[in-house]
Amino acid sequence: MKVPLLDLKPQYAQIKDKVIPEILDIIENQAFILGPRVDKLESEISQYIGTKHALGCSSGTDALLLALMALDIGPGDEVITTPYTFFATAGSIARVGAVARFVDIEPDTFLMRVDQIEKAITPKTKAIMPVHLFGQCVDMKPLMDIAKKHNLRVIEDACQAIGSKYDGVQAGAFGDVGCFSFFPSKNLGCFGDGGLCSTNNSALQERLKGLRVHGGQVQYQHLEVGLNARIDSLQAAVISVKLPHLASWTEGRRRNASLYNKLFAGNSKIITPVEKPGRFHIYNQYVLRVENRDALKAHLAEKEIGCSVYYPLSLHQQNCFASLGYHKGDFPESERASETTIALPIYPELSEEQIRFVGETINAFTAG
Ligand SMILES: *Cc1c(COP(=O)(O)O)cnc(C)c1O
């Protein structure tokens, strides 16, 4: 039995009848840039997340860049974040000329340790960028308290966390700006690149809107230097068709996760993902911890079971961030996670049989 890490085709089969006419209509009308489909998507997503506004943009990375720019974060500023995340989190901070200040992660959730944030604050700190990694929210209550106390902005990297909740509040509805990605491997993916910023601040929404189109909302009038960071009408249409399915797809991922948890319950060699009380994990990734990770990875490849390592090298150890002055050993939990974690297939359309096969293969391997 082959089990891919991710197969988008069964999801496409569910939306094909609805999405093809949308795409054809856009092509027939030759109206590709912004327009009513982007407006519609923005109102649907802001309603879904529970924020006043949403702004579609070209990718999750550009959502982070737009947020940083709209909050005037740049040279001389520091942003506190996690070294255990996708590159774009810290990449966007560096891109605007600011400095990423890392704090280590919790060993059970892989999320940033909120109790380490205050120690990392300096007079230059301007913002905190929590990452709701793998689909579970960071401990947002104490994080927002710290931000308030020190007058710091909060940019949520919610690129893996659409629909994830903390005390009933959605990821992306806590901070000044929430940043989302519609990259195909995310829980709500488009047919290419796409992203979105969410915010409750109307002035910030206006600023983001200008920055999305070269820094001005009136054509050829530039208030500042922005980006070309629009989302395509085509991608907006795809997301609008998919959005009504998101809740059931999320349930599918959660059902798969709980089946894995059951299968691994008696296996002392494996630590399954932890869902903290009060949080709603959407399992963009289902990530195990296992000591002989590389051997397991090779074994799964041999058995034609897809898996991946997120992320094999912490960001403080990346060459491009050498100038930040960090060294191996600075964030031991992040480094240990890089060496001992493995992500398994979790997409909603997996069959119970496939999950059992993955679980039994892993249990047989760790017992051997
Ligand atoms: C995917 C992702 C991004 C970047 O999103 P893109 O749409 O690929 O640019 C940023 N941060 C995290 C945590 C991500 O998983």
Side-chain angles (χ1 to χ4, degrees):
M1 189 186 308
K2 248 190 192 171
V3 188
L5 180 62
L6 176 63
D7 181 4
L8 291 166
K9 290 190 194 107
Q11 186 183 87
Y12 172 57
Q14 298 167 55
I15 57 153
K16 189 172 177 180
D17 291 347
K18 280 226 164 104
V19 84
I20 297 276
E22 284 288 305
I23 289 172
L24 282 179
D25 185 64
I26 292 167
I27 294 172
E28 291 297 334
N29 285 301
Q30 293 286 297
F32 301 112
I33 304 297
L34 297 177
R37 284 189 169 85
V38 172
D39 296 342
K40 178 170 174 277
L41 175 74
E42 290 171 349
S43 90
E44 288 168 351
I45 300 259
S46 61
Q47 215 165 6
Y48 178 80
I49 297 168
T51 52
K52 267 196 204 146
H53 307 284
L55 183 101
C57 65
S58 37
S59 69
T61 304
D62 288 339
L64 293 167
L65 268 179
L66 285 168
L68 287 159
M69 291 168 77
L71 291 166
D72 290 309
I73 293 166
D77 298 329
E78 294 179 1
V79 180
I80 296 171
T81 190
T82 162
Y84 190 64
T85 175
F86 179 61
F87 177 75
T89 310
S92 63
I93 296 168
R95 197 66 272 163
V96 298
V99 167
R101 284 278 149 232
F102 297 121
V103 299
D104 209 354
I105 57 167
E106 303 170 341
D108 56 347
T109 63
F110 312 114
L111 300 169
M112 82 189 291
R113 273 188 65 172
V114 173
D115 63 349
Q116 302 285 302
I117 290 174
E118 280 193 297
K119 271 199 284 190
I121 294 174
T122 76
K124 293 180 175 174
T125 308
K126 206 61 186 290
I128 308 170
M129 191 181 275
V131 181
H132 306 311
L133 197 71
F134 303 144
Q136 175 159 237
C137 285
V138 170
D139 198 358
M140 289 308 283
K141 168 82 173 67
L143 186 144
M144 292 307 295
D145 289 345
I146 292 167
K148 203 169 205 181
K149 180 172 155 200
H150 297 272
N151 191 27
L152 302 176
R153 308 280 71 79
V154 174
I155 300 170
E156 296 177 66
D157 183 339
C159 286
Q160 299 182 4
I162 192 157
S164 180
K165 283 179 256 185
Y166 177 100
D167 286 346
V169 178
Q170 297 240 6
F174 287 90
D176 295 273
V177 186
C179 299
F180 294 87
S181 167
F182 302 126
F183 186 78
S185 68
K186 314 290 178 170
N187 289 24
L188 186 63
C190 60
F191 290 176
D193 279 305
L196 180 132
C197 294
S198 59
T199 185
N200 281 310
N201 181 328
S202 301
L204 213 46
Q205 170 75 1
E206 287 308 301
R207 184 90 188 272
L208 289 165
K209 213 178 221 178
L211 286 166
R212 178 173 68 174
V213 194
H214 300 297
Q217 294 202 42
V218 178
Q219 207 177 15
Y220 306 124
Q221 305 285 320
H222 303 278
L223 302 169
E224 59 184 318
V225 180
L227 304 170
N228 172 1
R230 296 175 294 248
I231 188 169
D232 291 335
S233 296
L234 285 166
Q235 303 300 354
V238 172
I239 317 262
S240 279
V241 170
K242 283 191 174 189
L243 184 60
H245 296 268
L246 182 59
S248 75
W249 290 337
T250 300
E251 279 315 314
R253 287 172 181 270
R254 289 177 56 80
R255 189 181 57 236
N256 293 344
S258 73
L259 180 53
Y260 275 134
N261 289 347
K262 256 183 237 151
L263 291 167
F264 296 132
N267 187 336
S268 61
K269 304 270 178 62
I270 275 173
I271 300 173
T272 52
V274 170
E275 183 171 356
K276 286 280 177 87
R279 296 189 221 182
F280 183 77
H281 199 320
I282 61 152
Y283 294 98
N284 178 242
Q285 300 296 344
Y286 180 90
V287 176
L288 289 183
R289 198 195 278 277
V290 54
E291 284 311 324
N292 49 355
R293 192 270 315 276
D294 291 336
L296 174 62
K297 187 166 178 258
H299 182 72
L300 292 178
E302 206 173 284
K303 296 281 179 189
E304 298 190 299
I305 292 171
C307 63
S308 191
V309 172
Y310 304 113
Y311 297 90
L313 189 62
S314 293
L315 296 188
H316 68 285
Q317 296 175 280
Q318 299 287 345
N319 272 332
C320 68
F321 293 137
S323 63
L324 296 177
Y326 292 116
H327 301 99
K328 188 167 166 54
D330 284 347
F331 304 103
E333 287 302 338
S334 176
E335 292 167 27
R336 205 165 69 81
S338 299
E339 288 158 9
T340 57
T341 59
I342 189 160
L344 302 183
I346 191 69
Y347 63 94
E349 296 83 6
L350 285 165
S351 68
E352 185 174 330
E353 202 186 357
Q354 285 176 304
I355 307 252
R356 287 190 186 279
F357 175 66
V358 176
E360 281 154 19
T361 303
I362 292 173
N363 284 337
F365 176 80
T366 55

